[in-house]
Amino acid sequence: MKTIAASAPGKIIIAGEHAVVYGYPALLAATNKRLSLELSVSGKLPSLSSLKAHNLAHLVKLVKKLPQVDKLKIHSDIPAGSGMGSSAALSVCLAAAWLKATHDQPSQEEINELAYQLEKLQHGTPSGGDNTVSCYGGLLWFRKEIPAVKVFKRLADIPEIKNLYLLDTGKPAESTGEMVAQVADQKKAQPKKIVNAFLGMEAVARGWLELVTTNNQSQVEKLIKDNHSYLMDIGVVSASTQELIQHIERTGGAAKITGAGGKSNHSGMLLVWHPNSKKIKNLSLSKLLLSQKGLILNR
Ligand code: MEV
């Protein structure tokens, strides 16, 4: 019997969510929240694609039923369905453990590619950014040219960005796939408006790139505020989340969603910047660490 343990981080998208699905760049960071998985198997495993699952939860169920699988245990402190890449971390861990059980020395590239296939099972047409940052860790500049060609650069030694927090607005009613589909519909209905917002998000992402490479942090507030207003333009922020963000802005801070967002009620996790967090002490902020370790795989 082989037992394999894998753990991978959740992520936040600092800039470029949704636009990244259409080939614009995004800046993503691995966070200090992680998912871990333990897989014990004996015998030859089938490929995960041959199991014909409808989504990740179904795949996990099917894997647990296989006679070759003695144990599959998953533990996560990444809030599920809240824009922090919980499904990407699960995809990376499952892909890594499965490939390791099958042929012992999978490359990070193979693991990331299989994780992308699992993300497609979950979300339809993901950019691949979430699984890539979860697999490689750190801070990642990512661009999907076409589904088969994704380019990324892991940025080394980034400075600590001060005054950043996470704030949970609650789990959105919509899934990531549904939010991506809503934006696609909007883009069909109002192509100019949506493309302009994507171009604005690209400028924000490039602003962040400048910021992290020069450590000039004076623009953080403006970049987050601009990004939030483009996210409003593409319709991925709920009315209650917009009220909360306006409250944060009125007290001298800035905030934006960190993933797909949510429209009807909650919008998942927010990235909050505030130079004086005492002014929003009524909100339960948690400390955010960026640029954390990617996949850890042992046997
Ligand atoms: C979801 O975390 C981020 C989106 O940009 C979708 C994707 O990149 O696949 C909304």
Side-chain angles (χ1 to χ4, degrees):
M1 187 171 79
K2 287 181 190 170
T3 295
I4 297 154
S7 98
K11 66 90 198 15
I12 67 157
I13 299 188
I14 296 178
E17 53 271 86
H18 287 288
V20 68
V21 174
Y22 297 88
Y24 298 87
L27 186 67
L28 302 101
T31 70
N32 46 325
K33 295 193 186 294
R34 296 186 74 87
L35 178 141
S36 55
L37 173 152
E38 207 180 299
L39 174 71
S40 300
V41 294
S42 25
K44 192 169 167 350
L45 295 174
S47 71
L48 286 175
S49 62
S50 70
L51 299 181
K52 305 270 179 272
H54 321 304
N55 56 34
L56 270 180
H58 186 214
L59 181 64
V60 166
K61 256 192 201 155
L62 295 177
V63 163
K64 282 182 173 166
K65 280 192 193 146
L66 286 174
Q68 301 93 319
V69 172
D70 300 303
K71 185 172 73 182
L72 175 61
K73 245 175 61 187
I74 298 165
H75 171 80
S76 178
D77 58 18
I78 308 168
S82 292
M84 285 203 69
S86 60
S87 71
L90 175 56
S91 298
V92 168
C93 286
L94 189 55
W98 207 258
L99 289 175
K100 181 126 185 152
T102 316
H103 66 89
D104 207 48
Q105 290 298 340
S107 67
Q108 236 176 345
E109 211 178 329
E110 279 175 282
I111 294 170
N112 195 35
E113 181 49 37
L114 179 55
Y116 176 57
Q117 300 308 324
L118 301 185
E119 275 282 270
K120 284 209 280 196
L121 192 65
Q122 183 69 14
H123 300 305
T125 55
S127 62
D130 289 12
N131 52 279
T132 304
V133 75
S134 181
C135 188
Y136 289 84
L139 189 74
L140 212 77
W141 181 256
F142 178 91
R143 191 193 271 269
K144 178 182 87 172
E145 304 297 347
I146 55 170
V149 181
K150 302 174 214 76
V151 292
F152 62 91
K153 164 112 179 108
R154 197 175 182 280
L155 304 167
D157 297 329
I158 64 141
E160 187 204 345
I161 298 159
K162 295 188 196 88
N163 305 321
L164 289 185
Y165 305 90
L166 285 174
L167 176 62
D168 198 353
T169 71
K171 189 173 167 170
E174 303 87 350
S175 67
T176 294
E178 284 164 348
M179 290 310 297
V180 169
Q182 279 193 24
V183 174
D185 289 345
Q186 283 257 36
K187 189 166 173 286
K188 266 194 206 128
Q190 294 176 288
K192 238 185 176 163
K193 179 176 174 189
I194 303 303
V195 167
N196 276 340
F198 287 165
L199 287 169
M201 288 186 204
E202 170 158 6
V204 168
R206 291 187 185 284
W208 271 103
L209 198 56
E210 182 80 19
L211 186 156
V212 294
T213 48
T214 59
N215 197 16
N216 173 359
Q217 300 194 11
S218 63
Q219 294 297 304
V220 175
E221 178 181 6
K222 178 175 172 6
L223 290 172
I224 295 180
K225 277 186 175 168
D226 286 355
N227 202 153
H228 169 60
S229 84
Y230 296 127
L231 289 162
M232 289 292 297
D233 289 347
I234 66 168
V236 294
V237 183
S238 73
S240 62
T241 303
Q242 165 64 348
E243 263 176 44
L244 185 60
I245 292 179
Q246 282 174 336
H247 167 66
I248 294 169
E249 289 184 353
R250 275 195 300 271
T251 61
K256 66 174 277 291
I257 59 165
T258 60
K263 185 68 188 148
S264 58
N265 192 359
H266 307 300
S267 305
M269 207 55 87
L270 295 184
L271 168 67
V272 177
W273 173 86
H274 210 296
N276 184 359
S277 59
K278 281 191 198 115
K279 290 197 174 165
I280 45 171
K281 63 175 186 291
N282 55 323
L283 303 176
S284 36
L285 299 176
S286 51
K287 190 84 197 131
L288 170 65
L289 298 179
L290 295 176
S291 202
Q292 301 294 295
K293 260 199 163 56
L295 170 69
I296 301 171
L297 182 61
N298 340 300
R299 181 162 81 203

